[in-house]
Amino acid sequence: MHPDPGAFMVIALIVAVTIALTVRSRRKRTAALAAQWQAFQQH
């Protein structure tokens, strides 16, 4: 039995969105940590 191409596209979309959100949140966290470190160094 062959998998449904539509189901494959939905799964691929979900994976892509999950990866995009993970990268975005990681970038925000990195930026926040960099700002905290810079403030600490200036203190």
Side-chain angles (χ1 to χ4, degrees):
M1 180 167 152
H2 296 290
D4 182 22
F8 177 75
M9 291 297 291
V10 169
I11 292 170
L13 180 65
I14 291 171
V15 170
V17 168
T18 303
I19 291 172
L21 290 174
T22 302
V23 169
R24 197 175 91 182
S25 68
R26 187 170 293 166
R27 282 186 185 160
K28 281 185 178 180
R29 182 172 165 261
T30 301
L33 287 174
Q36 288 177 356
W37 177 244
Q38 190 174 16
F40 174 75
Q41 287 179 321
Q42 290 175 353
H43 191 281

PDB file of all heavy atoms in Angstrom:
ATOM      1  N   MET A   1       0.841  -1.197   0.000  1.00  0.00           N
ATOM      2  CA  MET A   1       0.000   0.000   0.000  1.00  0.00           C
ATOM      3  C   MET A   1       0.877   1.247   0.000  1.00  0.00           C
ATOM      4  O   MET A   1       1.792   1.379   0.806  1.00  0.00           O
ATOM      5  CB  MET A   1      -0.886  -0.023   1.248  1.00  0.00           C
ATOM      6  CG  MET A   1      -1.790   1.154   1.343  1.00  0.00           C
ATOM      7  SD  MET A   1      -3.027   0.847   2.625  1.00  0.00           S
ATOM      8  CE  MET A   1      -3.346   2.493   3.115  1.00  0.00           C
ATOM      9  N   HIS A   2       0.609   2.154  -0.925  1.00  0.00           N
ATOM     10  CA  HIS A   2       1.399   3.384  -1.028  1.00  0.00           C
ATOM     11  C   HIS A   2       0.829   4.456  -0.108  1.00  0.00           C
ATOM     12  O   HIS A   2      -0.388   4.602  -0.013  1.00  0.00           O
ATOM     13  CB  HIS A   2       1.387   3.894  -2.478  1.00  0.00           C
ATOM     14  CG  HIS A   2       2.036   2.945  -3.424  1.00  0.00           C
ATOM     15  ND1 HIS A   2       3.384   2.723  -3.439  1.00  0.00           N
ATOM     16  CD2 HIS A   2       1.527   2.143  -4.388  1.00  0.00           C
ATOM     17  CE1 HIS A   2       3.675   1.838  -4.370  1.00  0.00           C
ATOM     18  NE2 HIS A   2       2.557   1.453  -4.963  1.00  0.00           N
ATOM     19  N   PRO A   3       1.720   5.233   0.536  1.00  0.00           N
ATOM     20  CA  PRO A   3       1.215   6.322   1.389  1.00  0.00           C
ATOM     21  C   PRO A   3       0.579   7.423   0.545  1.00  0.00           C
ATOM     22  O   PRO A   3       0.968   7.650  -0.600  1.00  0.00           O
ATOM     23  CB  PRO A   3       2.465   6.829   2.107  1.00  0.00           C
ATOM     24  CG  PRO A   3       3.602   6.359   1.273  1.00  0.00           C
ATOM     25  CD  PRO A   3       3.154   5.118   0.572  1.00  0.00           C
ATOM     26  N   ASP A   4      -0.376   8.106   1.108  1.00  0.00           N
ATOM     27  CA  ASP A   4      -1.084   9.186   0.418  1.00  0.00           C
ATOM     28  C   ASP A   4      -0.146  10.389   0.279  1.00  0.00           C
ATOM     29  O   ASP A   4       0.412  10.842   1.277  1.00  0.00           O
ATOM     30  CB  ASP A   4      -2.319   9.557   1.226  1.00  0.00           C
ATOM     31  CG  ASP A   4      -3.147  10.644   0.563  1.00  0.00           C
ATOM     32  OD1 ASP A   4      -3.009  10.813  -0.659  1.00  0.00           O
ATOM     33  OD2 ASP A   4      -3.923  11.302   1.274  1.00  0.00           O
ATOM     34  N   PRO A   5       0.043  10.909  -0.936  1.00  0.00           N
ATOM     35  CA  PRO A   5       0.929  12.084  -1.102  1.00  0.00           C
ATOM     36  C   PRO A   5       0.457  13.293  -0.299  1.00  0.00           C
ATOM     37  O   PRO A   5       1.275  14.068   0.192  1.00  0.00           O
ATOM     38  CB  PRO A   5       0.864  12.378  -2.605  1.00  0.00           C
ATOM     39  CG  PRO A   5       0.368  11.128  -3.230  1.00  0.00           C
ATOM     40  CD  PRO A   5      -0.472  10.429  -2.199  1.00  0.00           C
ATOM     41  N   GLY A   6      -0.847  13.452  -0.144  1.00  0.00           N
ATOM     42  CA  GLY A   6      -1.371  14.561   0.647  1.00  0.00           C
ATOM     43  C   GLY A   6      -0.964  14.451   2.110  1.00  0.00           C
ATOM     44  O   GLY A   6      -0.579  15.435   2.738  1.00  0.00           O
ATOM     45  N   ALA A   7      -1.014  13.230   2.642  1.00  0.00           N
ATOM     46  CA  ALA A   7      -0.619  13.009   4.037  1.00  0.00           C
ATOM     47  C   ALA A   7       0.872  13.299   4.191  1.00  0.00           C
ATOM     48  O   ALA A   7       1.303  13.883   5.191  1.00  0.00           O
ATOM     49  CB  ALA A   7      -0.930  11.581   4.450  1.00  0.00           C
ATOM     50  N   PHE A   8       1.667  12.895   3.209  1.00  0.00           N
ATOM     51  CA  PHE A   8       3.105  13.164   3.246  1.00  0.00           C
ATOM     52  C   PHE A   8       3.373  14.668   3.261  1.00  0.00           C
ATOM     53  O   PHE A   8       4.227  15.150   4.012  1.00  0.00           O
ATOM     54  CB  PHE A   8       3.795  12.518   2.043  1.00  0.00           C
ATOM     55  CG  PHE A   8       5.260  12.805   1.979  1.00  0.00           C
ATOM     56  CD1 PHE A   8       6.143  12.157   2.834  1.00  0.00           C
ATOM     57  CD2 PHE A   8       5.765  13.738   1.085  1.00  0.00           C
ATOM     58  CE1 PHE A   8       7.497  12.430   2.784  1.00  0.00           C
ATOM     59  CE2 PHE A   8       7.114  14.019   1.035  1.00  0.00           C
ATOM     60  CZ  PHE A   8       7.990  13.357   1.885  1.00  0.00           C
ATOM     61  N   MET A   9       2.628  15.418   2.455  1.00  0.00           N
ATOM     62  CA  MET A   9       2.798  16.874   2.410  1.00  0.00           C
ATOM     63  C   MET A   9       2.432  17.515   3.749  1.00  0.00           C
ATOM     64  O   MET A   9       3.104  18.432   4.211  1.00  0.00           O
ATOM     65  CB  MET A   9       1.949  17.483   1.291  1.00  0.00           C
ATOM     66  CG  MET A   9       2.436  17.137  -0.103  1.00  0.00           C
ATOM     67  SD  MET A   9       4.083  17.777  -0.439  1.00  0.00           S
ATOM     68  CE  MET A   9       3.708  19.517  -0.497  1.00  0.00           C
ATOM     69  N   VAL A  10       1.370  17.028   4.379  1.00  0.00           N
ATOM     70  CA  VAL A  10       0.955  17.565   5.674  1.00  0.00           C
ATOM     71  C   VAL A  10       2.041  17.296   6.722  1.00  0.00           C
ATOM     72  O   VAL A  10       2.401  18.182   7.496  1.00  0.00           O
ATOM     73  CB  VAL A  10      -0.394  16.952   6.115  1.00  0.00           C
ATOM     74  CG1 VAL A  10      -0.704  17.300   7.566  1.00  0.00           C
ATOM     75  CG2 VAL A  10      -1.510  17.442   5.201  1.00  0.00           C
ATOM     76  N   ILE A  11       2.567  16.091   6.735  1.00  0.00           N
ATOM     77  CA  ILE A  11       3.628  15.752   7.694  1.00  0.00           C
ATOM     78  C   ILE A  11       4.870  16.614   7.434  1.00  0.00           C
ATOM     79  O   ILE A  11       5.479  17.145   8.375  1.00  0.00           O
ATOM     80  CB  ILE A  11       3.974  14.247   7.604  1.00  0.00           C
ATOM     81  CG1 ILE A  11       2.782  13.436   8.111  1.00  0.00           C
ATOM     82  CG2 ILE A  11       5.233  13.935   8.390  1.00  0.00           C
ATOM     83  CD1 ILE A  11       2.895  11.954   7.867  1.00  0.00           C
ATOM     84  N   ALA A  12       5.231  16.794   6.165  1.00  0.00           N
ATOM     85  CA  ALA A  12       6.386  17.625   5.827  1.00  0.00           C
ATOM     86  C   ALA A  12       6.168  19.070   6.275  1.00  0.00           C
ATOM     87  O   ALA A  12       7.096  19.716   6.798  1.00  0.00           O
ATOM     88  CB  ALA A  12       6.654  17.569   4.320  1.00  0.00           C
ATOM     89  N   LEU A  13       4.960  19.574   6.107  1.00  0.00           N
ATOM     90  CA  LEU A  13       4.644  20.942   6.530  1.00  0.00           C
ATOM     91  C   LEU A  13       4.758  21.084   8.047  1.00  0.00           C
ATOM     92  O   LEU A  13       5.335  22.055   8.545  1.00  0.00           O
ATOM     93  CB  LEU A  13       3.242  21.325   6.058  1.00  0.00           C
ATOM     94  CG  LEU A  13       2.780  22.727   6.425  1.00  0.00           C
ATOM     95  CD1 LEU A  13       3.641  23.773   5.711  1.00  0.00           C
ATOM     96  CD2 LEU A  13       1.321  22.916   6.061  1.00  0.00           C
ATOM     97  N   ILE A  14       4.228  20.117   8.772  1.00  0.00           N
ATOM     98  CA  ILE A  14       4.298  20.159  10.236  1.00  0.00           C
ATOM     99  C   ILE A  14       5.754  20.136  10.700  1.00  0.00           C
ATOM    100  O   ILE A  14       6.147  20.899  11.587  1.00  0.00           O
ATOM    101  CB  ILE A  14       3.502  18.981  10.841  1.00  0.00           C
ATOM    102  CG1 ILE A  14       2.005  19.195  10.594  1.00  0.00           C
ATOM    103  CG2 ILE A  14       3.798  18.828  12.332  1.00  0.00           C
ATOM    104  CD1 ILE A  14       1.147  18.002  10.942  1.00  0.00           C
ATOM    105  N   VAL A  15       6.562  19.292  10.093  1.00  0.00           N
ATOM    106  CA  VAL A  15       7.982  19.216  10.455  1.00  0.00           C
ATOM    107  C   VAL A  15       8.674  20.540  10.155  1.00  0.00           C
ATOM    108  O   VAL A  15       9.434  21.055  10.985  1.00  0.00           O
ATOM    109  CB  VAL A  15       8.666  18.047   9.712  1.00  0.00           C
ATOM    110  CG1 VAL A  15      10.180  18.099   9.885  1.00  0.00           C
ATOM    111  CG2 VAL A  15       8.122  16.720  10.218  1.00  0.00           C
ATOM    112  N   ALA A  16       8.402  21.129   8.998  1.00  0.00           N
ATOM    113  CA  ALA A  16       9.026  22.402   8.621  1.00  0.00           C
ATOM    114  C   ALA A  16       8.642  23.516   9.589  1.00  0.00           C
ATOM    115  O   ALA A  16       9.496  24.308  10.002  1.00  0.00           O
ATOM    116  CB  ALA A  16       8.635  22.763   7.190  1.00  0.00           C
ATOM    117  N   VAL A  17       7.370  23.584   9.953  1.00  0.00           N
ATOM    118  CA  VAL A  17       6.915  24.622  10.891  1.00  0.00           C
ATOM    119  C   VAL A  17       7.564  24.423  12.259  1.00  0.00           C
ATOM    120  O   VAL A  17       8.017  25.380  12.891  1.00  0.00           O
ATOM    121  CB  VAL A  17       5.374  24.613  10.998  1.00  0.00           C
ATOM    122  CG1 VAL A  17       4.900  25.465  12.162  1.00  0.00           C
ATOM    123  CG2 VAL A  17       4.755  25.096   9.691  1.00  0.00           C
ATOM    124  N   THR A  18       7.641  23.185  12.714  1.00  0.00           N
ATOM    125  CA  THR A  18       8.266  22.896  14.008  1.00  0.00           C
ATOM    126  C   THR A  18       9.728  23.320  14.008  1.00  0.00           C
ATOM    127  O   THR A  18      10.203  23.955  14.959  1.00  0.00           O
ATOM    128  CB  THR A  18       8.157  21.389  14.321  1.00  0.00           C
ATOM    129  OG1 THR A  18       6.780  21.023  14.303  1.00  0.00           O
ATOM    130  CG2 THR A  18       8.761  21.070  15.668  1.00  0.00           C
ATOM    131  N   ILE A  19      10.453  23.006  12.945  1.00  0.00           N
ATOM    132  CA  ILE A  19      11.864  23.397  12.846  1.00  0.00           C
ATOM    133  C   ILE A  19      11.988  24.916  12.827  1.00  0.00           C
ATOM    134  O   ILE A  19      12.839  25.487  13.515  1.00  0.00           O
ATOM    135  CB  ILE A  19      12.506  22.760  11.600  1.00  0.00           C
ATOM    136  CG1 ILE A  19      12.613  21.246  11.799  1.00  0.00           C
ATOM    137  CG2 ILE A  19      13.882  23.368  11.323  1.00  0.00           C
ATOM    138  CD1 ILE A  19      13.043  20.500  10.563  1.00  0.00           C
ATOM    139  N   ALA A  20      11.143  25.589  12.055  1.00  0.00           N
ATOM    140  CA  ALA A  20      11.202  27.051  11.964  1.00  0.00           C
ATOM    141  C   ALA A  20      10.953  27.697  13.325  1.00  0.00           C
ATOM    142  O   ALA A  20      11.661  28.632  13.723  1.00  0.00           O
ATOM    143  CB  ALA A  20      10.187  27.549  10.935  1.00  0.00           C
ATOM    144  N   LEU A  21       9.959  27.204  14.067  1.00  0.00           N
ATOM    145  CA  LEU A  21       9.667  27.769  15.385  1.00  0.00           C
ATOM    146  C   LEU A  21      10.808  27.506  16.365  1.00  0.00           C
ATOM    147  O   LEU A  21      11.140  28.362  17.182  1.00  0.00           O
ATOM    148  CB  LEU A  21       8.361  27.182  15.930  1.00  0.00           C
ATOM    149  CG  LEU A  21       7.100  27.640  15.209  1.00  0.00           C
ATOM    150  CD1 LEU A  21       5.889  26.891  15.745  1.00  0.00           C
ATOM    151  CD2 LEU A  21       6.897  29.140  15.345  1.00  0.00           C
ATOM    152  N   THR A  22      11.420  26.341  16.273  1.00  0.00           N
ATOM    153  CA  THR A  22      12.549  26.018  17.151  1.00  0.00           C
ATOM    154  C   THR A  22      13.725  26.941  16.880  1.00  0.00           C
ATOM    155  O   THR A  22      14.331  27.487  17.817  1.00  0.00           O
ATOM    156  CB  THR A  22      12.976  24.552  16.943  1.00  0.00           C
ATOM    157  OG1 THR A  22      11.859  23.704  17.215  1.00  0.00           O
ATOM    158  CG2 THR A  22      14.133  24.190  17.856  1.00  0.00           C
ATOM    159  N   VAL A  23      14.036  27.156  15.605  1.00  0.00           N
ATOM    160  CA  VAL A  23      15.147  28.040  15.246  1.00  0.00           C
ATOM    161  C   VAL A  23      14.857  29.462  15.709  1.00  0.00           C
ATOM    162  O   VAL A  23      15.730  30.140  16.264  1.00  0.00           O
ATOM    163  CB  VAL A  23      15.397  27.996  13.719  1.00  0.00           C
ATOM    164  CG1 VAL A  23      16.347  29.100  13.281  1.00  0.00           C
ATOM    165  CG2 VAL A  23      15.944  26.628  13.326  1.00  0.00           C
ATOM    166  N   ARG A  24      13.615  29.929  15.516  1.00  0.00           N
ATOM    167  CA  ARG A  24      13.262  31.289  15.905  1.00  0.00           C
ATOM    168  C   ARG A  24      13.381  31.486  17.419  1.00  0.00           C
ATOM    169  O   ARG A  24      13.941  32.476  17.880  1.00  0.00           O
ATOM    170  CB  ARG A  24      11.846  31.610  15.436  1.00  0.00           C
ATOM    171  CG  ARG A  24      11.556  33.100  15.427  1.00  0.00           C
ATOM    172  CD  ARG A  24      10.208  33.381  14.842  1.00  0.00           C
ATOM    173  NE  ARG A  24       9.230  33.386  15.927  1.00  0.00           N
ATOM    174  CZ  ARG A  24       7.945  33.561  15.763  1.00  0.00           C
ATOM    175  NH1 ARG A  24       7.452  33.718  14.563  1.00  0.00           N
ATOM    176  NH2 ARG A  24       7.128  33.578  16.793  1.00  0.00           N
ATOM    177  N   SER A  25      12.870  30.530  18.185  1.00  0.00           N
ATOM    178  CA  SER A  25      12.938  30.668  19.642  1.00  0.00           C
ATOM    179  C   SER A  25      14.378  30.585  20.124  1.00  0.00           C
ATOM    180  O   SER A  25      14.763  31.271  21.072  1.00  0.00           O
ATOM    181  CB  SER A  25      12.073  29.614  20.324  1.00  0.00           C
ATOM    182  OG  SER A  25      12.601  28.322  20.129  1.00  0.00           O
ATOM    183  N   ARG A  26      15.198  29.768  19.464  1.00  0.00           N
ATOM    184  CA  ARG A  26      16.605  29.655  19.857  1.00  0.00           C
ATOM    185  C   ARG A  26      17.335  30.958  19.575  1.00  0.00           C
ATOM    186  O   ARG A  26      18.169  31.394  20.363  1.00  0.00           O
ATOM    187  CB  ARG A  26      17.254  28.490  19.106  1.00  0.00           C
ATOM    188  CG  ARG A  26      18.659  28.198  19.575  1.00  0.00           C
ATOM    189  CD  ARG A  26      19.172  26.906  19.002  1.00  0.00           C
ATOM    190  NE  ARG A  26      18.433  25.777  19.537  1.00  0.00           N
ATOM    191  CZ  ARG A  26      18.476  24.552  19.033  1.00  0.00           C
ATOM    192  NH1 ARG A  26      19.210  24.298  17.969  1.00  0.00           N
ATOM    193  NH2 ARG A  26      17.783  23.574  19.575  1.00  0.00           N
ATOM    194  N   ARG A  27      17.011  31.608  18.431  1.00  0.00           N
ATOM    195  CA  ARG A  27      17.642  32.892  18.111  1.00  0.00           C
ATOM    196  C   ARG A  27      17.255  33.956  19.126  1.00  0.00           C
ATOM    197  O   ARG A  27      18.083  34.758  19.544  1.00  0.00           O
ATOM    198  CB  ARG A  27      17.235  33.351  16.710  1.00  0.00           C
ATOM    199  CG  ARG A  27      17.976  32.639  15.617  1.00  0.00           C
ATOM    200  CD  ARG A  27      17.635  33.229  14.265  1.00  0.00           C
ATOM    201  NE  ARG A  27      18.258  32.465  13.202  1.00  0.00           N
ATOM    202  CZ  ARG A  27      17.860  32.491  11.950  1.00  0.00           C
ATOM    203  NH1 ARG A  27      16.846  33.235  11.593  1.00  0.00           N
ATOM    204  NH2 ARG A  27      18.485  31.781  11.047  1.00  0.00           N
ATOM    205  N   LYS A  28      15.971  33.982  19.518  1.00  0.00           N
ATOM    206  CA  LYS A  28      15.526  34.954  20.514  1.00  0.00           C
ATOM    207  C   LYS A  28      16.246  34.729  21.833  1.00  0.00           C
ATOM    208  O   LYS A  28      16.669  35.674  22.495  1.00  0.00           O
ATOM    209  CB  LYS A  28      14.016  34.839  20.734  1.00  0.00           C
ATOM    210  CG  LYS A  28      13.188  35.495  19.661  1.00  0.00           C
ATOM    211  CD  LYS A  28      11.717  35.437  20.043  1.00  0.00           C
ATOM    212  CE  LYS A  28      10.856  36.129  19.018  1.00  0.00           C
ATOM    213  NZ  LYS A  28       9.439  36.081  19.383  1.00  0.00           N
ATOM    214  N   ARG A  29      16.381  33.466  22.233  1.00  0.00           N
ATOM    215  CA  ARG A  29      17.055  33.141  23.490  1.00  0.00           C
ATOM    216  C   ARG A  29      18.520  33.553  23.424  1.00  0.00           C
ATOM    217  O   ARG A  29      19.057  34.118  24.378  1.00  0.00           O
ATOM    218  CB  ARG A  29      16.935  31.638  23.747  1.00  0.00           C
ATOM    219  CG  ARG A  29      17.559  31.201  25.047  1.00  0.00           C
ATOM    220  CD  ARG A  29      17.215  29.735  25.324  1.00  0.00           C
ATOM    221  NE  ARG A  29      18.084  29.237  26.361  1.00  0.00           N
ATOM    222  CZ  ARG A  29      19.175  28.506  26.125  1.00  0.00           C
ATOM    223  NH1 ARG A  29      19.501  28.179  24.904  1.00  0.00           N
ATOM    224  NH2 ARG A  29      19.929  28.093  27.122  1.00  0.00           N
ATOM    225  N   THR A  30      19.169  33.298  22.292  1.00  0.00           N
ATOM    226  CA  THR A  30      20.570  33.676  22.125  1.00  0.00           C
ATOM    227  C   THR A  30      20.723  35.194  22.200  1.00  0.00           C
ATOM    228  O   THR A  30      21.646  35.700  22.848  1.00  0.00           O
ATOM    229  CB  THR A  30      21.108  33.156  20.776  1.00  0.00           C
ATOM    230  OG1 THR A  30      20.962  31.734  20.746  1.00  0.00           O
ATOM    231  CG2 THR A  30      22.572  33.501  20.585  1.00  0.00           C
ATOM    232  N   ALA A  31      19.816  35.925  21.571  1.00  0.00           N
ATOM    233  CA  ALA A  31      19.873  37.388  21.610  1.00  0.00           C
ATOM    234  C   ALA A  31      19.669  37.893  23.037  1.00  0.00           C
ATOM    235  O   ALA A  31      20.364  38.818  23.482  1.00  0.00           O
ATOM    236  CB  ALA A  31      18.822  37.982  20.673  1.00  0.00           C
ATOM    237  N   ALA A  32      18.746  37.280  23.764  1.00  0.00           N
ATOM    238  CA  ALA A  32      18.501  37.693  25.150  1.00  0.00           C
ATOM    239  C   ALA A  32      19.720  37.410  26.016  1.00  0.00           C
ATOM    240  O   ALA A  32      20.114  38.242  26.839  1.00  0.00           O
ATOM    241  CB  ALA A  32      17.274  36.968  25.700  1.00  0.00           C
ATOM    242  N   LEU A  33      20.335  36.262  25.829  1.00  0.00           N
ATOM    243  CA  LEU A  33      21.528  35.934  26.608  1.00  0.00           C
ATOM    244  C   LEU A  33      22.677  36.873  26.272  1.00  0.00           C
ATOM    245  O   LEU A  33      23.435  37.287  27.166  1.00  0.00           O
ATOM    246  CB  LEU A  33      21.948  34.486  26.345  1.00  0.00           C
ATOM    247  CG  LEU A  33      21.054  33.414  26.967  1.00  0.00           C
ATOM    248  CD1 LEU A  33      21.500  32.031  26.501  1.00  0.00           C
ATOM    249  CD2 LEU A  33      21.080  33.484  28.477  1.00  0.00           C
ATOM    250  N   ALA A  34      22.815  37.227  25.016  1.00  0.00           N
ATOM    251  CA  ALA A  34      23.876  38.158  24.607  1.00  0.00           C
ATOM    252  C   ALA A  34      23.655  39.525  25.251  1.00  0.00           C
ATOM    253  O   ALA A  34      24.606  40.159  25.716  1.00  0.00           O
ATOM    254  CB  ALA A  34      23.907  38.283  23.082  1.00  0.00           C
ATOM    255  N   ALA A  35      22.399  39.975  25.303  1.00  0.00           N
ATOM    256  CA  ALA A  35      22.095  41.262  25.926  1.00  0.00           C
ATOM    257  C   ALA A  35      22.399  41.206  27.421  1.00  0.00           C
ATOM    258  O   ALA A  35      22.966  42.168  27.985  1.00  0.00           O
ATOM    259  CB  ALA A  35      20.629  41.618  25.688  1.00  0.00           C
ATOM    260  N   GLN A  36      22.051  40.117  28.075  1.00  0.00           N
ATOM    261  CA  GLN A  36      22.344  39.977  29.496  1.00  0.00           C
ATOM    262  C   GLN A  36      23.854  39.974  29.750  1.00  0.00           C
ATOM    263  O   GLN A  36      24.339  40.595  30.694  1.00  0.00           O
ATOM    264  CB  GLN A  36      21.739  38.675  30.040  1.00  0.00           C
ATOM    265  CG  GLN A  36      20.236  38.702  30.157  1.00  0.00           C
ATOM    266  CD  GLN A  36      19.687  37.376  30.632  1.00  0.00           C
ATOM    267  OE1 GLN A  36      20.414  36.417  30.806  1.00  0.00           O
ATOM    268  NE2 GLN A  36      18.375  37.330  30.848  1.00  0.00           N
ATOM    269  N   TRP A  37      24.591  39.272  28.917  1.00  0.00           N
ATOM    270  CA  TRP A  37      26.040  39.195  29.088  1.00  0.00           C
ATOM    271  C   TRP A  37      26.662  40.576  28.892  1.00  0.00           C
ATOM    272  O   TRP A  37      27.561  40.979  29.629  1.00  0.00           O
ATOM    273  CB  TRP A  37      26.607  38.175  28.095  1.00  0.00           C
ATOM    274  CG  TRP A  37      28.101  38.075  28.128  1.00  0.00           C
ATOM    275  CD1 TRP A  37      28.961  38.386  27.133  1.00  0.00           C
ATOM    276  CD2 TRP A  37      28.911  37.616  29.229  1.00  0.00           C
ATOM    277  NE1 TRP A  37      30.243  38.145  27.536  1.00  0.00           N
ATOM    278  CE2 TRP A  37      30.254  37.683  28.815  1.00  0.00           C
ATOM    279  CE3 TRP A  37      28.618  37.173  30.524  1.00  0.00           C
ATOM    280  CZ2 TRP A  37      31.305  37.329  29.649  1.00  0.00           C
ATOM    281  CZ3 TRP A  37      29.686  36.814  31.350  1.00  0.00           C
ATOM    282  CH2 TRP A  37      30.989  36.880  30.916  1.00  0.00           C
ATOM    283  N   GLN A  38      26.182  41.312  27.890  1.00  0.00           N
ATOM    284  CA  GLN A  38      26.716  42.653  27.635  1.00  0.00           C
ATOM    285  C   GLN A  38      26.420  43.573  28.806  1.00  0.00           C
ATOM    286  O   GLN A  38      27.293  44.337  29.244  1.00  0.00           O
ATOM    287  CB  GLN A  38      26.117  43.209  26.342  1.00  0.00           C
ATOM    288  CG  GLN A  38      26.797  44.481  25.887  1.00  0.00           C
ATOM    289  CD  GLN A  38      26.285  44.933  24.531  1.00  0.00           C
ATOM    290  OE1 GLN A  38      25.240  44.465  24.076  1.00  0.00           O
ATOM    291  NE2 GLN A  38      26.993  45.812  23.886  1.00  0.00           N
ATOM    292  N   ALA A  39      25.221  43.503  29.347  1.00  0.00           N
ATOM    293  CA  ALA A  39      24.868  44.323  30.518  1.00  0.00           C
ATOM    294  C   ALA A  39      25.730  43.953  31.713  1.00  0.00           C
ATOM    295  O   ALA A  39      26.190  44.825  32.464  1.00  0.00           O
ATOM    296  CB  ALA A  39      23.393  44.150  30.846  1.00  0.00           C
ATOM    297  N   PHE A  40      25.984  42.669  31.879  1.00  0.00           N
ATOM    298  CA  PHE A  40      26.828  42.210  32.980  1.00  0.00           C
ATOM    299  C   PHE A  40      28.256  42.745  32.838  1.00  0.00           C
ATOM    300  O   PHE A  40      28.868  43.178  33.815  1.00  0.00           O
ATOM    301  CB  PHE A  40      26.842  40.680  33.024  1.00  0.00           C
ATOM    302  CG  PHE A  40      27.787  40.100  34.035  1.00  0.00           C
ATOM    303  CD1 PHE A  40      27.472  40.136  35.382  1.00  0.00           C
ATOM    304  CD2 PHE A  40      28.985  39.531  33.653  1.00  0.00           C
ATOM    305  CE1 PHE A  40      28.336  39.602  36.327  1.00  0.00           C
ATOM    306  CE2 PHE A  40      29.856  39.008  34.579  1.00  0.00           C
ATOM    307  CZ  PHE A  40      29.525  39.033  35.917  1.00  0.00           C
ATOM    308  N   GLN A  41      28.776  42.724  31.614  1.00  0.00           N
ATOM    309  CA  GLN A  41      30.141  43.207  31.383  1.00  0.00           C
ATOM    310  C   GLN A  41      30.261  44.713  31.628  1.00  0.00           C
ATOM    311  O   GLN A  41      31.290  45.186  32.089  1.00  0.00           O
ATOM    312  CB  GLN A  41      30.592  42.881  29.957  1.00  0.00           C
ATOM    313  CG  GLN A  41      30.894  41.422  29.760  1.00  0.00           C
ATOM    314  CD  GLN A  41      31.318  41.112  28.337  1.00  0.00           C
ATOM    315  OE1 GLN A  41      30.773  41.671  27.387  1.00  0.00           O
ATOM    316  NE2 GLN A  41      32.287  40.239  28.183  1.00  0.00           N
ATOM    317  N   GLN A  42      29.184  45.459  31.327  1.00  0.00           N
ATOM    318  CA  GLN A  42      29.226  46.905  31.510  1.00  0.00           C
ATOM    319  C   GLN A  42      29.052  47.290  32.979  1.00  0.00           C
ATOM    320  O   GLN A  42      29.419  48.390  33.377  1.00  0.00           O
ATOM    321  CB  GLN A  42      28.143  47.581  30.672  1.00  0.00           C
ATOM    322  CG  GLN A  42      28.420  47.521  29.182  1.00  0.00           C
ATOM    323  CD  GLN A  42      27.277  48.076  28.364  1.00  0.00           C
ATOM    324  OE1 GLN A  42      26.227  48.398  28.890  1.00  0.00           O
ATOM    325  NE2 GLN A  42      27.477  48.155  27.054  1.00  0.00           N
ATOM    326  N   HIS A  43      28.515  46.388  33.753  1.00  0.00           N
ATOM    327  CA  HIS A  43      28.247  46.685  35.163  1.00  0.00           C
ATOM    328  C   HIS A  43      29.529  46.897  35.955  1.00  0.00           C
ATOM    329  O   HIS A  43      30.529  46.302  35.751  1.00  0.00           O
ATOM    330  CB  HIS A  43      27.437  45.536  35.780  1.00  0.00           C
ATOM    331  CG  HIS A  43      26.910  45.869  37.132  1.00  0.00           C
ATOM    332  ND1 HIS A  43      27.688  45.815  38.259  1.00  0.00           N
ATOM    333  CD2 HIS A  43      25.685  46.263  37.552  1.00  0.00           C
ATOM    334  CE1 HIS A  43      26.978  46.151  39.309  1.00  0.00           C
ATOM    335  NE2 HIS A  43      25.746  46.429  38.908  1.00  0.00           N
TER     336      HIS A  43
END
